Amino acid sequence: DGGITQSPKYLFRKEGQNVTLSCEQNLNHDAMYWYRQDPGQGLRLIYYSQIVNDFQKGDIAEGYSVSREKKESFPLTVTSAQKNPTAFYLCASSMGRPNGYNEQFFGPGTRLTVL
Amino acid sequence: GEDVEQSLFLSVREGDSSVINCTYTDSSSTYLYWYKQEPGAGLQLLTYIFSNMDMKQDQRLTVLLNKKDKHLSLRIADTQTGDSAIYFCAVTGGGVSGGYNKLIFGAGTRLAVHP
């Protein structure tokens, strides 16, 4: 079964700690994305990666970091510099066709709560 | 930058039609998507429309696109309780290096279906 997985589903963190959210896909997609979702707001892009070993900042990258060492994996680290990290985090992937149909497939999400 | 707007709430009676509206600002958007999100889950693609089309029908779903007014709508016929969810409009826009298009999401419309 092809798909995109995120773990864990729920994550609790103390203030001042870094935490890493996992995202894996077996769809052979080139592009991967991280979004943050807050109540009553749309999805805001944190980071995206078009290809292995390359990634770009999205609209709200401050306090976050990523890596893309493998095509299948795009982990997101929420650092202590992120002022308000409690949110629902969604990972997505797509074939990344230039200027073409570019459906994004989403994982089930990780809900991060800072205590 | 690109902006996508949706009304936040819609309440309908079971069996009626639902119409969810979306307006966007980037006239160069080539693909426009509707995603559905159920509570605590990721987003799943419902349907999409290419910018050279006015209408697309897929079973109970009808998408209408008015490019002149930059208005997109999703009509759900015979709405059921299982249709209760948040519906996101997303358009391609804010092209990135290499030509891969980001998706810009609206804030989402929460559809409540009551008996």
Side-chain angles (χ1 to χ4, degrees):
Chain A
D1 249 347
I4 181 166
T5 58
Q6 292 184 243
S7 61
K9 189 165 177 62
Y10 299 96
L11 190 55
F12 298 89
R13 183 196 101 173
K14 291 182 181 177
E15 271 193 54
Q17 288 181 337
N18 293 354
V19 64
T20 298
L21 282 59
S22 166
C23 178
E24 305 275 333
Q25 55 99 0
N26 62 2
L27 300 167
N28 200 32
H29 285 166
D30 285 319
M32 296 187 74
Y33 314 80
W34 273 106
Y35 293 93
R36 172 183 171 134
Q37 184 179 21
D38 294 284
Q41 296 193 37
L43 277 63
R44 292 185 290 169
L45 184 65
I46 304 172
Y47 268 98
Y48 60 95
S49 168
Q50 298 173 30
I51 200 164
V52 174
N53 293 322
D54 182 67
F55 49 83
Q56 307 293 329
K57 290 183 180 179
D59 302 316
I60 55 164
E62 187 176 346
Y64 300 97
S65 66
V66 293
S67 63
R68 186 89 187 273
E69 296 175 4
K70 297 188 300 182
K71 188 175 186 177
E72 301 80 18
S73 178
F74 191 41
L76 173 74
T77 297
V78 184
T79 75
S80 57
Q82 169 49 234
K83 300 294 182 212
N84 185 21
T86 295
F88 190 52
Y89 290 88
L90 286 160
C91 180
S93 69
S94 73
M95 294 188 69
R97 292 188 178 126
N99 299 318
Y101 180 73
N102 199 22
E103 176 190 350
Q104 291 186 15
F105 292 77
F106 284 82
T110 292
R111 186 166 298 281
L112 173 64
T113 303
V114 175
L115 304 172
Chain B
E2 170 72 83
D3 193 26
V4 178
E5 293 197 357
Q6 301 177 239
S7 53
L8 294 183
F9 298 102
L10 177 65
S11 179
V12 299
R13 192 188 304 269
E14 191 174 13
D16 287 352
S17 292
S18 308
V19 179
I20 302 170
N21 295 300
C22 171
T23 57
Y24 58 97
T25 56
D26 189 347
S27 58
S28 67
S29 295
T30 51
Y31 286 91
L32 303 98
Y33 304 81
W34 283 104
Y35 281 86
K36 177 183 180 181
Q37 184 182 34
E38 298 189 358
L43 278 66
Q44 59 179 122
L45 181 72
L46 275 181
T47 187
Y48 70 95
I49 189 166
F50 186 50
S51 57
N52 69 352
M53 299 168 66
D54 298 324
M55 185 181 86
K56 180 179 180 182
Q57 189 148 2
D58 184 1
Q59 300 183 331
R60 291 191 298 125
L61 305 178
T62 303
V63 179
L64 295 178
L65 174 61
N66 182 328
K67 283 193 69 179
K68 176 175 169 289
D69 293 339
K70 296 178 198 164
H71 182 267
L72 181 72
S73 68
L74 174 70
R75 178 177 179 270
I76 305 173
D78 187 25
T79 312
Q80 302 298 308
T81 54
D83 295 323
S84 295
I86 301 176
Y87 292 80
F88 290 92
C89 166
V91 305
T92 52
V96 302
S97 62
Y100 297 103
N101 285 319
K102 290 191 291 185
L103 287 187
I104 312 298
F105 287 84
T109 299
R110 185 178 295 273
L111 174 64
V113 183
H114 56 89

